[in-house]
Amino acid sequence: MRSIRTARSLLLLGSPLALAVASACGSGNGNGSAFDGGTSGDSSQPSDDSGGDDGSCLLCADTGDGNIIWNDFPPQPIDDGPDGGAPAPAGSGSLFGGPGQGAQSGGPCLIEPEVGSLYPKNWLRPRFAWIAAGGENLFELRLHVANQSSDLVVYTTASQWTMPKAMWDALRGHSNDVPMTVSVRGGVYSGGSLTGEALGSTGSLGIAPVDAPGSIVYWTSSTGTALKGFSIGDENVGPVLTPSQVTEFSTSCIGCHDSTPDGKFASLSSSSNNWQNGFADVEPGKTGQIPPWFGAAGRAAVETAQMGLHTFSAAHWQTGDRIEISAHDPPDDGSSELVWVDLEAASGTAMGTIARTGDTRHAGAPSWSHDGKTIAYVSTDANRDGRLDDGAADVWTVPYNDKAGGNASALPGASGNGQRNFYPAWSPDDHLVAFDQASGGNMYNNALDELYVVALTSAKSTRLSANDPPACTGKKSPGVTNSWPKWAPSVGAVPDGRKFYWVVFSSTRAPGNNPQLYVTPIVVDGQGTITTYNALYLWNQPAAENNHTPAWDYFQIPPPPVQ
């Protein structure tokens, strides 16, 4: 790269003028290599025509070869400290010295973000958090970005640092799809000197050239069962539904929920009603209300005892055709089957069995393709009240065929491998199926659970990199309950053929060992090659809560309260 011409001016990040100029500068991604090996920038942003000799670009510099170098990071280090505490001592940079100074291993363990993770472009601003080693009390965080003129360098006495929003807004606009490297060093500061300096976690990060869409609603079991939620980018979560707000029936526990394809209703199971299913509005001003389209016979059908996990398809969600597919374990029958329910039926037959010719085992945990043609489900010898239990399990598929079902078959890559394969979920374009896999144990809340994905065109499954916590934490998978994968409601695509899928799941890798939510991308290139990444922790969720079973859709939920 040619030498960078000096930008005519540097503005303080966060000032109105700085933000206006940053917007005027355009995308400025240049032609640098993408984090995942691609070369494309964000096609939704205009090409950059600033940076000329007229001085129109104040926060960037044109290299003369079509690349733009940005000044989104301050040229001097940031001295920071804990809230209400002392900032890093003056001269911390001199104490740490150059990146090669000190031990090259054994330093702080970065747990947020995990090295090797990829942010959606519209993600909440990054929070960097680490675990100190060997009594360290002074830290250096460094972020190197290929198209930024300076590294971001932060010195702090705290064990975490959150990027200012104005800086994040500039970075995600200018440096998405650009290689980044993060590192953190630590040392023991005392009496004006630094000892025990050591490099800890270091490696790649990235920002995708696409957004993650929609909202996530999840079940929390910490302060009485409830559903909470947020839209992507929100920095806190808000209440969505509590048991007392459900008007369809009285219940003290709501869980195993899903969303209707219009995002207006949560479909839930009530353990206090012998596992009846039900619906509750989640729209602002309508919380808990019964759907207006609910027919008397349809309602009676979903309120049948021992209905299990259930699913919907956008292809069968309009007036005159609102169908639920559910697992059902008839009381005292000992079996579990797939059933359809006509939710609008006012009278007559509103529920019937989906035939699964060729499969004699029980059925559970269905997921209905978005085109309405195929149901993926778990074929198992272990069922309990319509839910999955402890036993053999494989993912199978069966045609919907206008409620009639048909020939069922095992899904290659998610069956016949001696493992328990369960909780299937269709990607928004129906090209991929994500699922859980475990070598044994109960299929609900199993520490051995791991996440996999299989393409419909391939018989080979791919284990997600997001299963693995940072090695420096000492935690390993299997062992951290990676469970319940759910896809974002749409796919992001860029002109070079890459498709970006996003998956949310629950894991117990957090320091408190309680279940928390994480997000990870799955990227498929134009040749069908699947690339997976490490997990991003959702730091907007309360860290002490037990958060499970997320659903990701275009939920029409109220915005979280401002904190």
Side-chain angles (χ1 to χ4, degrees):
M1 180 178 289
R2 301 175 189 173
S3 61
I4 302 170
R5 293 186 299 171
T6 304
R8 296 201 173 193
S9 175
L10 290 176
L11 300 180
L12 292 175
L13 286 166
S15 71
L17 181 58
L19 295 178
V21 172
S23 176
C25 281
S27 66
N29 290 19
N31 299 314
S33 299
F35 172 61
D36 65 353
T39 58
S40 174
D42 178 14
S43 60
S44 67
Q45 298 189 34
S47 61
D48 191 284
D49 58 1
S50 59
D53 289 336
D54 61 357
S56 60
C57 182
L58 301 183
L59 286 180
C60 56
D62 188 347
T63 66
D65 58 5
N67 291 310
I68 300 295
I69 298 299
W70 294 93
N71 303 309
D72 295 329
F73 297 150
Q76 301 300 323
I78 297 172
D79 291 331
D80 195 40
D83 292 341
S92 292
S94 298
L95 295 173
F96 275 94
Q101 180 172 308
Q104 294 302 291
S105 63
C109 176
L110 185 68
I111 58 174
E112 296 178 41
E114 295 183 13
V115 170
S117 57
L118 181 68
Y119 286 96
K121 198 176 67 174
N122 60 335
W123 202 244
L124 67 163
R125 57 197 175 118
R127 185 177 77 176
F128 298 83
W130 51 86
I131 299 172
E136 297 163 336
N137 57 4
L138 182 61
F139 307 95
E140 176 198 79
L141 171 69
R142 182 180 296 269
L143 184 63
H144 174 77
V145 183
N147 71 343
Q148 294 290 337
S149 61
S150 303
D151 285 356
L152 171 66
V153 182
V154 178
Y155 295 105
T156 180
T157 57
S159 58
Q160 68 180 44
W161 182 80
T162 304
M163 184 178 289
K165 189 175 187 305
M167 185 185 292
W168 172 237
D169 287 343
L171 182 66
R172 65 192 178 99
H174 301 151
S175 299
N176 63 78
D177 230 8
V178 172
M180 302 181 182
T181 302
V182 65
S183 63
V184 59
R185 290 193 289 172
V188 179
Y189 178 76
S190 178
S193 62
L194 187 70
T195 59
E197 179 185 347
L199 175 68
S201 301
T202 184
S204 299
L205 289 180
I207 303 172
V210 300
D211 291 348
S215 301
I216 294 173
V217 172
Y218 63 93
W219 180 58
T220 182
S221 60
S222 294
T223 55
T225 66
L227 301 184
K228 293 185 175 182
F230 58 93
S231 295
I232 302 304
D234 288 341
E235 293 194 0
N236 56 315
V237 303
V240 173
L241 187 70
T242 63
S244 63
Q245 292 174 312
V246 176
T247 59
E248 181 177 341
F249 42 61
S250 177
T251 180
S252 60
C253 179
I254 53 177
C256 301
H257 69 287
D258 202 351
S259 59
T260 58
D262 54 14
K264 295 181 179 181
F265 298 91
S267 175
L268 52 96
S269 293
S270 171
S271 62
S272 53
N273 295 58
N274 199 11
W275 296 108
Q276 292 177 326
N277 287 346
F279 292 87
D281 205 317
V282 295
E283 299 172 276
K286 298 181 180 180
T287 302
Q289 292 183 13
I290 298 173
W293 38 257
F294 222 175
R299 176 174 172 176
V302 297
E303 292 179 1
T304 299
Q306 296 183 189
M307 296 286 274
L309 297 180
H310 42 281
T311 182
F312 309 91
S313 173
H316 295 281
W317 195 258
Q318 52 269 329
T319 301
D321 185 25
R322 296 187 195 274
I323 304 296
E324 173 182 299
I325 302 295
S326 179
H328 179 223
D329 180 8
D332 303 320
D333 184 75
S335 65
S336 184
E337 58 194 12
L338 294 183
V339 297
W340 58 264
V341 178
D342 181 353
L343 299 171
E344 293 178 308
S347 60
T349 301
M351 182 169 75
T353 301
I354 301 285
R356 297 179 290 118
T357 306
D359 183 15
T360 59
R361 297 196 297 187
H362 307 306
S367 177
W368 198 356
S369 64
H370 298 77
D371 65 10
K373 297 179 180 179
T374 309
I375 303 165
Y377 68 96
V378 180
S379 172
T380 180
D381 61 8
N383 71 295
R384 179 179 52 139
D385 303 334
R387 295 166 291 152
L388 302 177
D389 207 331
D390 185 354
D394 293 294
V395 177
W396 282 50
T397 62
V398 65
Y400 171 61
N401 194 21
D402 193 21
K403 307 184 184 73
N407 292 325
S409 59
L411 179 63
S415 61
N417 51 20
Q419 303 291 305
R420 294 172 186 192
N421 307 283
F422 54 102
Y423 289 162
W426 291 94
S427 66
D429 58 4
D430 297 330
H431 291 174
L432 305 170
V433 173
F435 62 98
D436 261 300
Q437 187 177 103
S439 59
N442 193 306
M443 285 174 274
Y444 176 74
N445 200 29
N446 185 347
L448 300 178
D449 288 357
E450 291 199 307
L451 306 175
Y452 285 76
V453 64
V454 62
L456 271 293
T457 57
S458 170
K460 181 181 178 181
S461 62
T462 299
R463 180 182 180 273
L464 301 192
S465 298
N467 286 302
D468 297 316
C472 53
T473 65
K475 296 183 177 181
K476 295 182 179 180
S477 183
V480 291
T481 322
N482 296 307
S483 186
W484 200 272
K486 292 290 184 176
W487 299 89
S490 61
V491 182
V494 293
D496 67 5
R498 284 175 296 158
K499 293 182 178 180
F500 290 77
Y501 303 79
W502 304 96
V503 174
V504 63
F505 65 99
S506 179
S507 179
T508 59
R509 71 188 65 193
N513 298 319
N514 54 313
Q516 293 269 278
L517 300 182
Y518 295 79
V519 162
T520 189
I522 296 171
V523 180
V524 182
D525 68 16
Q527 289 72 48
T529 301
I530 294 175
T531 301
T532 70
Y533 296 81
N534 289 345
L536 283 171
Y537 176 67
L538 283 156
W539 61 260
N540 55 353
Q541 65 190 307
E545 290 188 351
N546 298 324
N547 300 330
H548 311 260
T549 59
W552 196 341
D553 213 324
Y554 291 108
F555 281 107
Q556 300 182 33
I557 57 176
V562 177
Q563 294 181 351

